[in-house]
Amino acid sequence: GVRDVLFLYEENRCSMTYMYEYPEYLKIKLPKKTARRYPAYELYLYGEGNYAEENKNLLLTGIPVLFLPGNAGSYKQVRSLGSIALRKAEDVDFKYHFNFFSVNFNEELVALYGGSLQRQTKFVHECIKVILKLYRDREFAPSSVAIVGHSMGGLVARALLTLKNFKPELINLLITQATPHVAPVMPLDKYLTDFYTAVNNHWILKAQDLRNLTTLSVAGGFRDYQVRSGLAFLPRLSQHDSALSVVSSAVPRAWASTDHLSIVWCKELILATIRAFFDLIDENTRQITEDPKKRMSVLNHHFVRHPAKMFEENPEAFAELTGAFTWITVKASKWTYSVYNDSDGKYFAFPLASHRKSYSHVYCENSMLDTSSWIYGCMNTNSSMCLEAADLSWRAELLPTTKVVMLKLQDYPSLSHIVIQVPPAVGNKYTLGCEFFREDSRTVQLPVTHLFSFGLSSSKILLNSTGLLYNVQLQHFNQIYQAFKIYIESHCQSLKERKPSVYRLHIPWSHEDSVIVAKVPSLAEISAKLHIAQPHNDSSLPELNIYSSPDCQYEVTLKTSLLQVLGQIVRFHAGAFPVYIVSNILLTYGGQLSTLRLTGQCSDFSLELVRTAKPYKVEPLISIVVFLQGFNWFREIWESLSLPEVDAAVLSSQDAWFPLVSLILFLFGTGIAYWSGVFFSTSLRLFSSLWLTLIRPTVLQKDKLITPRRFCGMISLALVSWTTCGAFAVLIIYLQYLFKPVRVFVTSVFHFQDSGHSKETSQNSSTHTVKAQSSVDSIPDATQSPSSSTTIAEAVNSLKMHITILNLFTWIVLLSLPSFIYWFKNLRYNVRLDPDPCRSTAIILVCVLEILMNSSTSEVKSSKLLKIATKVPLPLSVAMLAFGRMHLYRVPHFVTFSLLLHVLCCIV
């Protein structure tokens, strides 16, 4: 599944964008107060060549656009947009042009640490004020700024509207690229999840205030494994008329999936964006139009359905059919025509009266990809010629190799003829085709194979194509965990050269189509899987549109792809892996405490994992709670107890959950936990053998739990946590703890060798060394004195316990690492991380681990609290899976609680 997500996607079909002159970034001077408050952030103006020189004095006359980079993103990523906009402005002799500004967020890791998102939002507000001031007293001064936000930059732009003193009219257009709008990819701290909640709630509650803001969200498709496209779809609201979400694979003239970084430089996508920007300009104000309807129609034109014509706000409904063209009447229901070096123009007229009874639709295609009108509707009832006709070219749709139009005859009762215009074509070669058909004759239904068919069975359908279009409806394909491979094999009767076939997988409830062009004859393979599950109030079916070649046969075969099903589980739930791994380790830890209480011996980590980490201990309880939350009375009790919502219930409401997912993730967690245990034991032996060759260890001796020296260490690390960064203190104590098992292991091995040495020959002694080093479970033999044998057995027990605690603690360190990296990167601006998501947990952990580091199992065995301590890990495991999947920052709290109990067992 991981391999499917990270490696098995389509090749990069994007072209690179190039600058024709050297890019320059002019730093904009900010007010002193702003610069002092945000020392790490800067604002730049993009330019190149003469344009950059002219703008050095900041006498700007263009339309301001502000680019916001994302997680660890650079302000220089604006260059693709800025450069193409500059070239386009040159094409129109600078009648209109755009000034692209970019914010430097110091490449902060805001996707992993949410503490600075609010600061970034406030800085962007200050930048907008500074930008608009630059245009003051100009003839066409702007009153608002358009924003393009990549990744988390798009979320920061949406968060502007949550600021108390922010005026919504300051932004009228927002375009986001691969922005996770719905939820964070990795919810590693509370500030991140709270920020998301605040932004999304504001957009839902204040939807009426956002009517003047037009928002477009572009997702990268399956190539983007960092932000899955389902997260980039704006939350569905009543304000459908002002927000649009599309996947780049469905964008006309791009038709390519992009990865998380290439979305900012993908030439096809940037061209679509810049064309849209230029079409959005109001000729009177020389700025982006204030009309939300026009903004929406421009975005639909460039990002949803392109009619292969230049955008016009109010296109002419009627056109005059003039010129010395030959009129030809076509009465056949099916017609194809090849144009090559035709010196005179033609009009082909198709009378509709004879076709209305037999057929329901007419479909036409044209492989000449220019932007002129080519298909018209006549209202003449008498002659076969008409001088004025309705322009039907606006009903067309652009595809990679052809433009197509499909009309339902019933919707055009007043039309007498369809007219196809073929202008004189010197040096051009292209084909046209039209056909009348009944919809039911071209629509076939193909039931998809069951999830548990594992690709062994398949659904097949054979299309004896005499026509130009087929729609294959995929029945029961509506969930995100379904994934199929569709094979389309084409056979043709003659070997003449044909135009390529176009296959489109059309998902009616979201703009996530994918388009493939295939030669004829050939075998094409399409991956069919969803970014968004079908909404409950939607009954439409996904379709495979086959724009075919006549006299060819098409065989469509559909199979479940197990690899891609696992890929979908990883794509949607990889963020929850740490929760399942820690849950497994916690269950093992509880099992070790239990065997210690019952037998006096601590079992080996991997053996205990196999024995205790069972999904049936945790999963059924969560499933029952999720089921009961469907009832109002249970929800009321749950809310009265102030308990947070179960994460699985939230995922179910988003249609991203199904019962088997949790089992698969739990088993995956068991596997990772097992191998991490093996890794720790192996590393321990390697380090110990290295230590043994370098340093002669001291004799085993029992140590006090707390000494003045350790108490001072505890206080100093707590101070480090309070004054700098909690994760830093956690990392220091972790590195300290790492040496503890090594010391215990080395000492016990050495002591074991030593006591055996006095009673045996040197040869026996060497075999003992090998035996002791080969396993953590080395049990002393009868040659040793009872006291020394007990000491070594005790050391081995303690060692096993330390390895498990270390395993648990490693995951706490990994989950707190992002805030440490953020703090370390920003150390020159601030010594103290504020706000710090780990501070309070770190102080508790430092004290707990300082004591645990020097504890042994002998103290725990005799504790009165051991019985309670053995029972706690199971409910903690259940709670972790219930409340930690979408809130990873809760995981350390559960682990800290169980370790705190362990410390109490050592003392009481």
Side-chain angles (χ1 to χ4, degrees), residues 618-636 638 645-653 657-659 882 885:
V618 289
E619 288 305 328
L621 194 62
I622 296 170
S623 300
I624 290 165
V625 172
V626 172
F627 171 73
L628 288 172
Q629 282 204 326
F631 300 101
N632 286 333
W633 61 268
F634 185 81
R635 262 207 310 276
E636 283 165 17
W638 192 266
E645 202 171 355
V646 176
D647 288 350
V650 179
L651 289 165
S652 291
S653 68
W657 195 250
F658 66 106
R885 283 185 187 120

Side-chain angles (χ1 to χ4, degrees), residues 348-420:
F348 291 94
F350 299 82
L352 298 181
S354 56
H355 295 308
R356 284 189 188 275
K357 284 181 187 173
S358 315
Y359 305 109
S360 63
H361 288 70
V362 60
Y363 165 85
C364 293
E365 61 182 26
N366 181 354
S367 66
M368 179 66 173
L369 299 181
D370 62 351
T371 56
S372 54
S373 294
W374 60 284
I375 183 165
Y376 303 91
C378 270
M379 291 169 199
N380 275 19
T381 46
N382 310 326
S383 76
S384 60
M385 278 178 67
C386 67
L387 298 174
E388 193 179 59
D391 190 349
L392 298 176
S393 308
W394 292 100
R395 306 274 171 192
E397 183 174 12
L398 182 66
L399 291 170
T401 59
T402 183
K403 49 191 181 187
V404 302
V405 65
M406 185 159 73
L407 306 169
K408 192 174 181 180
L409 297 177
Q410 207 178 321
D411 295 346
Y412 300 90
S414 58
L415 293 189
S416 63
H417 292 73
I418 296 278
V419 176
I420 302 279

Side-chain angles (χ1 to χ4, degrees), residues 772-891:
Q773 276 179 315
S774 68
S775 172
V776 178
D777 304 328
S778 311
I779 301 298
D781 68 1
T783 59
Q784 290 167 303
S785 64
S787 64
S788 96
S789 126
T790 312
T791 315
I792 292 168
E794 202 56 65
V796 169
N797 279 339
S798 301
L799 183 64
K800 290 175 188 171
M801 194 50 84
H802 283 309
I803 284 176
T804 307
I805 291 170
L806 202 54
N807 214 337
L808 271 176
F809 192 32
T810 301
W811 283 97
I812 293 182
V813 172
L814 288 174
L815 290 172
S816 61
L817 217 50
S819 61
F820 168 74
I821 295 166
Y822 178 89
W823 169 77
F824 191 73
K825 270 190 78 176
N826 287 276
L827 204 51
R828 63 179 176 204
Y829 302 111
N830 216 330
V831 174
R832 190 174 196 252
L833 180 64
D834 190 46
D836 187 350
C838 306
R839 188 164 288 135
S840 48
T841 316
I843 292 169
I844 299 166
L845 271 174
V846 161
C847 303
V848 164
L849 289 160
E850 195 69 65
I851 297 169
L852 280 184
M853 209 185 291
N854 306 293
S855 67
S856 71
T857 46
S858 57
E859 294 134 0
V860 179
K861 264 192 283 191
S862 56
S863 172
K864 295 169 188 172
L865 292 174
L866 184 58
K867 194 174 180 181
I868 299 168
T870 56
K871 298 277 188 287
V872 165
L874 178 61
L876 281 181
S877 247
V878 175
M880 196 186 292
L881 290 186
F883 306 116
R885 283 185 187 120
M886 295 174 72
H887 305 84
L888 288 178
Y889 60 87
R890 289 175 182 164
V891 172

Side-chain angles (χ1 to χ4, degrees), residues 11-29:
E11 76 285 355
N12 195 350
R13 296 212 293 263
C14 284
S15 315
M16 178 63 81
T17 42
Y18 293 97
M19 281 82 249
Y20 291 93
E21 294 171 285
Y22 194 76
E24 289 182 44
Y25 305 90
L26 178 67
K27 190 174 172 182
I28 306 288
K29 197 176 178 202

Side-chain angles (χ1 to χ4, degrees), residues 69 133 343 508 541 552 771 790 796 902:
K133 262 186 195 169
S343 55
L541 294 173
C552 290
K771 202 191 292 182
T790 312
V796 169
H902 193 125

Side-chain angles (χ1 to χ4, degrees), residues 84-155:
I84 286 182
L86 187 59
R87 301 281 86 80
K88 181 105 171 135
E90 284 173 356
D91 289 349
V92 294
D93 292 328
F94 281 92
K95 182 185 177 185
Y96 312 115
H97 72 279
F98 288 86
N99 301 128
F100 274 86
F101 295 86
S102 184
V103 172
N104 177 13
F105 284 135
N106 192 29
E107 299 186 10
E108 290 179 340
L109 297 168
V110 280
L112 305 175
Y113 168 74
S116 65
L117 282 166
Q118 199 63 33
R119 196 180 308 131
Q120 286 193 0
T121 309
K122 287 175 179 172
F123 179 73
V124 172
H125 184 200
E126 296 301 321
C127 287
I128 291 172
K129 289 193 254 183
V130 169
I131 288 168
L132 291 175
K133 262 186 195 169
L134 295 173
Y135 294 87
R136 218 165 34 191
D137 308 327
R138 300 283 181 276
E139 188 185 351
F140 297 103
S143 58
S144 62
V145 172
I147 295 183
V148 178
H150 172 238
S151 186
M152 293 300 281
L155 190 76

Side-chain angles (χ1 to χ4, degrees), residues 60 79 83 223 262 273 319 461 578 592 640 642 692 737 792 828 863 880 884:
L60 306 176
R79 62 182 176 265
S83 186
R223 271 188 70 86
S262 70
T273 309
I461 205 156
Q592 282 182 317
S640 66
S642 300
L692 215 54
Y737 203 144
I792 292 168
R828 63 179 176 204
S863 172
M880 196 186 292

